[in-house]
Amino acid sequence: LLTPCKGDLVKEKTEKKIRFWCRIFLGVYLVLLVYFLIFSEEWGRTFLEGEYRYNLVPFVEIRRFWIYRKQLGMFALITNLFGNVIGFIPYGFILPVIAHKCRNGLFIVASGFSLSLLVETVQLIAKVGCFDVDDLILNTLGAAIGYMLFAVCNYLRRKRYGEKI
């Protein structure tokens, strides 16, 4: 039998700690995501009685926010366009760290889209905010960027430690 060397045991312990803290971070991240996207009144979330609001035409809201950025203000532009992208980057980065089975880019993009679709559907049903196809696009882009950042970091880590790439 081969016994693992001390370096392998240290590496395994470190990886377990990283996965543990990433699970904690993912849990906190998902709670905050739900809060900001569904419950936060500071972010324009109000429960509307009898009114369903939705946009099913791609790029309409993105274009509107860009064209009227001076009237709407930079805060509105940044929170709507960049906030939707940035908000899903942690999802695309952390999920493959936690679960080796989730290290497929297509899976991350599809699951990021599914999570975004779930949030948008809850917003529609609860009449909170607006179901917006542009948010699906931007959120999915954020998950994809998060995965690309993970892939680059993972490549650099493997290259540094001489692991098979």
Side-chain angles (χ1 to χ4, degrees):
L1 291 172
L2 294 173
T3 58
C5 68
K6 186 176 180 180
D8 290 339
L9 293 175
V10 170
K11 181 181 170 193
E12 188 177 322
K13 277 185 164 184
T14 303
E15 286 178 2
K16 282 184 180 183
K17 284 180 185 178
I18 290 170
R19 280 196 300 276
F20 170 79
W21 286 110
C22 282
R23 284 186 188 105
I24 299 292
F25 181 78
L26 183 64
V28 170
Y29 161 76
L30 290 174
V31 167
L32 289 173
L33 188 71
V34 168
Y35 172 75
F36 284 118
L37 295 179
I38 297 175
F39 297 109
S40 176
E41 290 182 20
E42 293 87 27
W43 293 88
R45 306 295 178 222
T46 55
F47 291 89
L48 307 169
E49 291 188 25
E51 189 178 329
Y52 290 104
R53 295 178 18 195
Y54 56 89
N55 167 39
L56 302 176
V57 181
F59 305 108
V60 165
E61 287 298 306
I62 294 171
R63 190 175 17 249
R64 182 177 72 84
F65 270 89
W66 184 254
I67 290 171
Y68 297 107
R69 67 188 174 276
K70 290 182 181 173
Q71 292 87 344
L72 294 169
M74 287 307 289
F75 181 76
L77 177 73
I78 290 169
T79 55
N80 189 23
L81 299 184
F82 300 109
N84 280 308
V85 174
I86 293 167
F88 273 70
I89 289 174
Y91 179 83
F93 188 90
I94 294 171
L95 195 58
V97 171
I98 293 172
H100 290 275
K101 293 178 183 178
C102 297
R103 291 193 174 178
N104 179 307
L106 186 57
F107 173 81
I108 295 298
V109 170
S111 65
F113 174 82
S114 299
L115 177 61
S116 179
L117 181 61
L118 175 67
V119 168
E120 293 296 319
T121 302
V122 168
Q123 286 180 344
L124 179 68
I125 292 169
K127 300 175 186 172
V128 176
C130 175
F131 180 99
D132 190 354
V133 70
D134 290 348
D135 288 350
L136 291 172
I137 294 167
L138 294 169
N139 294 342
T140 304
L141 176 63
I145 291 170
Y147 178 76
M148 287 188 288
L149 290 172
F150 163 79
V152 168
C153 290
N154 193 42
Y155 172 80
L156 294 173
R157 178 189 64 84
R158 290 175 149 211
K159 187 175 177 183
R160 179 177 181 193
Y161 293 107
E163 294 178 19
K164 186 177 175 184
I165 297 176

